[in-house]
Amino acid sequence: MAEVVIVGDREEAGELAAGAIRSLITRRRDAVLGLATGSTPLPVYAALARTLREDPLDVSAVRGFALDEYVGLPAGHPESYRAVITREVVEPLGLDPSLVHVPGDGSDSIETAGEDYERAIVAAGGIDLQILGIGSTGHIGFNEPGSSFASLTRIKTLTERTRQDNARFFDSLDEVPRHCLTQGLGTILRARHLVLLAFGEGKAEAIAAAVEGPLTASQPGSAIQLHPHVTVLIDEAAASRLQNADYYRYTWENRPSWQTL
Ligand code: F6R
């Protein structure tokens, strides 16, 4: 079962996730991070940047793989996930940009981009820690409802609801791409540690379905139930539909002193 930690606010979640990433990099200087975009992981990247400023750590060998990328945006668009990862992760953390990959980068054609990305992840030795957000449709990565639990990186069509959710990053809904390249649920499940974050009432249903609902492709987030090491960091609002919230609080309050995320 996932370890579910109900936190006071997103900053606290950011600190916890940043602590786990820091300790991973301390153990393994060429750690491989799986990087989500969107608003949810921003407190993680901000907390990590802060700790690296206050207490520097060698991050020159840290590698990264973005979860997904839009298809069809003009090159250099500020909302392309390549641009977002550069702005929110690579620059503030001081990572080597040549070690941080986004689906589609360096591929000769869109048809081979998925396979190329899978090969690059395998060549890196796999992802050590994968940061995840969750969409209101229940997607992780951009694996919309119906995605196979065995899926690998490929092109997907975004649902209209996801396009509307993401329209806030663009000038108009028309600008939001209809397609993306995304790590599959199978790709995500191969990462060694999944850290799923969610904040706000709008994510409560998706979190309840992911953590406690039946395992079903109709709720792609439920794929996390197949993974042996998952940490779910959520605020009270995102936890509000969980049946066993009291048990998760009890478990966290009574965690053994040796236990880390
Ligand atoms: C982003 C991603 C998506 C987002 C999800 C939530 O790389 O793969 O699954 O995590 O759409 O988005 P936010 O965090 O903006 O609510």
Side-chain angles (χ1 to χ4, degrees):
M1 192 191 108
E3 167 147 75
V4 181
V5 185
I6 303 171
V7 295
D9 55 29
R10 55 189 76 203
E11 281 67 39
E12 190 182 342
E15 299 284 343
L16 284 170
I21 297 172
R22 209 190 147 91
S23 103
L24 167 67
I25 300 171
T26 309
R27 292 193 309 276
R28 182 168 181 198
R29 64 182 289 281
D30 63 347
V32 182
L33 304 178
L35 303 164
T37 45
S39 24
T40 306
L42 296 179
V44 180
Y45 304 138
L48 192 54
R50 201 161 47 243
T51 105
L52 291 173
R53 269 195 312 273
E54 289 165 1
D55 188 6
L57 191 66
D58 176 14
V59 295
S60 61
V62 170
R63 296 164 289 168
F65 287 90
L67 253 184
D68 35 29
E69 175 59 294
Y70 290 118
V71 171
L73 284 181
H77 191 288
E79 292 307 326
S80 71
Y81 285 166
R82 163 51 78 193
V84 173
I85 290 280
T86 301
R87 194 164 66 231
E88 306 291 356
V89 184
V90 173
E91 290 174 353
L93 302 188
L95 303 185
D96 177 346
S98 71
L99 300 180
V100 179
H101 310 280
V102 175
D105 273 5
S107 287
D108 291 337
S109 77
I110 194 82
E111 285 80 17
T112 61
E115 280 172 38
D116 294 343
Y117 206 59
E118 289 294 326
R119 253 195 310 276
I121 294 174
V122 169
I127 291 171
D128 291 309
L129 186 151
Q130 175 66 61
I131 301 185
L132 296 169
I134 191 163
S136 60
T137 63
H139 67 225
I140 53 175
F142 274 142
N143 296 282
E144 297 285 23
S147 296
S148 160
F149 287 155
S151 53
L152 300 178
T153 306
R154 69 219 184 286
I155 294 178
K156 284 293 287 182
T157 304
L158 298 172
T159 61
E160 272 311 290
R161 181 153 173 207
T162 297
R163 291 186 67 242
Q164 280 157 14
D165 285 348
N166 286 7
R168 69 191 193 281
F169 296 110
F170 294 85
D171 290 337
S172 71
L173 180 60
D174 280 350
E175 253 196 73
V176 185
R178 290 190 160 71
H179 298 100
C180 64
L181 271 163
T182 181
Q183 286 189 31
L185 295 174
T187 320
I188 292 169
L189 290 174
R190 287 178 188 164
R192 287 182 271 278
H193 181 192
L194 305 182
V195 179
L196 169 63
L197 301 105
F199 311 116
E201 173 68 29
K203 300 293 175 73
E205 237 173 75
I207 281 293
V211 174
E212 296 178 340
L215 195 61
T216 165
S218 300
Q219 286 291 341
S222 67
I224 66 168
Q225 296 173 34
L226 293 169
H227 195 284
H229 187 189
V230 185
T231 308
V232 177
L233 301 172
I234 48 179
D235 64 7
E236 290 288 348
S240 59
R241 306 265 170 98
L242 289 171
Q243 303 277 329
N244 294 323
D246 286 344
Y247 174 61
Y248 308 138
R249 285 193 192 89
Y250 177 85
T251 307
W252 180 245
E253 279 158 20
N254 292 287
R255 68 193 178 281
S257 58
W258 41 261
Q259 188 188 312
T260 54
L261 285 188

